[in-house]
Amino acid sequence: MADDKKNPLGPTGNQVRTNVERVRETRGLTKKQLADRVAELGRPIPPLGISRIEAGTRRVDADDLVALAVALNVSPLALLLPADEGPDPYISLTDRVAVTLSRAWKWARGERALSIAPGEEPSADQQDAFARISQSARQRYVKDQPAGRAVDALHGEVYRLVEISGVSTEAVDEEFSRRLASVRVWLDRVSVEVQQAAAEHDELAKEARTVKAERLRPEST
């Protein structure tokens, strides 16, 4: 307890405790039931511990966070960040770093590097370095393929298009028209790249069948 007073919870710690309580209640679980679930996962936290977590008097370490996320059937990110709903407010990640909620989620999902300086965007090199460490090898492989890059670009345009679709101002209307045109371009590009990927796969499959047939062909005497 003394350590907690010397080093109180920061904004993320407070968000975790708020989310644990919110998700637990959404799931219809009592503190005892949640405690039983995490105990079954090999990370015992007694009901009193759950109460202290939600009150902010017990810290949640990395192992606790994962066990609670598994027990509550949510991503760990759903406990670390506010729900991505409604407006896009600024939230504090640390006592000195605040970003918009949508940017925080993109950063946490490994989609977009974080720029700490207000108004600055990460450079292409910074984004590439961020992605190569923050994403799995499979994610990087897919995103490095032409079809993957096209889908990634389309995703970003559609996300923003939907995000602003419920607002109408002169500036937003102009952006909406621009994004809509971009979505149509990327849809065509995705179609082309997917067809190319399918053609390449068909060629590989044809070669594999030829090799297999050669192996099965009886040797001439």
Side-chain angles (χ1 to χ4, degrees), residues 198-215:
E200 292 174 359
H201 176 79
D202 288 345
E203 188 63 30
L204 285 173
K206 181 180 178 181
E207 291 176 5
R209 288 193 296 269
T210 300
V211 170
K212 183 177 180 180
E214 289 291 338
R215 289 176 179 173

Side-chain angles (χ1 to χ4, degrees), residues 17-218:
R17 74 180 183 88
T18 298
N19 285 339
V20 168
E21 181 176 20
R22 175 180 59 82
V23 177
R24 176 182 63 77
E25 291 179 347
T26 298
R27 296 286 190 237
L29 297 172
T30 65
K31 295 171 184 176
K32 172 67 165 56
Q33 289 171 325
L34 178 55
D36 289 343
R37 286 193 178 189
V38 292
E40 290 173 359
L41 297 171
R43 188 70 182 177
I45 303 175
L48 179 58
I50 300 296
S51 293
R52 292 185 62 203
I53 286 172
E54 294 181 0
T57 57
R58 183 190 190 282
R59 288 184 171 277
V60 174
D61 65 22
D63 294 305
D64 292 338
L65 181 74
V66 172
L68 287 165
V70 173
L72 291 167
N73 191 29
V74 295
S75 162
L77 299 183
L79 299 182
L80 286 167
L81 295 171
D84 190 359
E85 299 175 353
D88 194 20
Y90 273 81
I91 65 165
S92 294
L93 298 178
T94 73
D95 289 330
R96 295 184 179 180
V97 177
V99 298
T100 61
L101 180 57
S102 61
R103 177 56 62 88
W105 272 95
K106 290 177 182 178
W107 165 71
R109 290 193 297 256
E111 297 173 2
R112 188 71 177 166
L114 196 65
S115 178
I116 296 177
E120 289 188 8
E121 290 294 328
S123 67
D125 288 343
Q126 290 172 326
Q127 176 61 30
D128 183 65
F130 170 79
R132 292 193 175 280
I133 298 297
S134 302
Q135 297 173 355
S136 68
R138 185 176 295 276
Q139 280 181 299
R140 295 197 303 272
Y141 171 78
V142 171
K143 289 176 179 290
D144 282 344
Q145 305 309 304
R149 289 196 296 269
V151 168
D152 208 32
L154 177 61
H155 172 269
E157 292 294 334
V158 170
Y159 185 96
R160 180 58 180 164
L161 189 71
V162 174
E163 192 175 39
I164 65 176
S165 62
V167 180
S168 180
T169 66
E170 185 175 348
V172 170
D173 292 348
E174 290 178 1
E175 181 182 359
F176 188 89
S177 296
R178 187 172 67 254
R179 298 277 181 180
L180 183 59
S182 181
V183 164
R184 288 169 174 158
V185 169
W186 282 112
L187 278 171
D188 290 341
R189 180 69 177 273
V190 167
S191 177
V192 169
E193 296 297 352
V194 168
Q195 290 177 30
Q196 179 62 32
E200 292 174 359
H201 176 79
D202 288 345
E203 188 63 30
L204 285 173
K206 181 180 178 181
E207 291 176 5
R209 288 193 296 269
T210 300
V211 170
K212 183 177 180 180
E214 289 291 338
R215 289 176 179 173
L216 295 176
R217 181 178 299 170

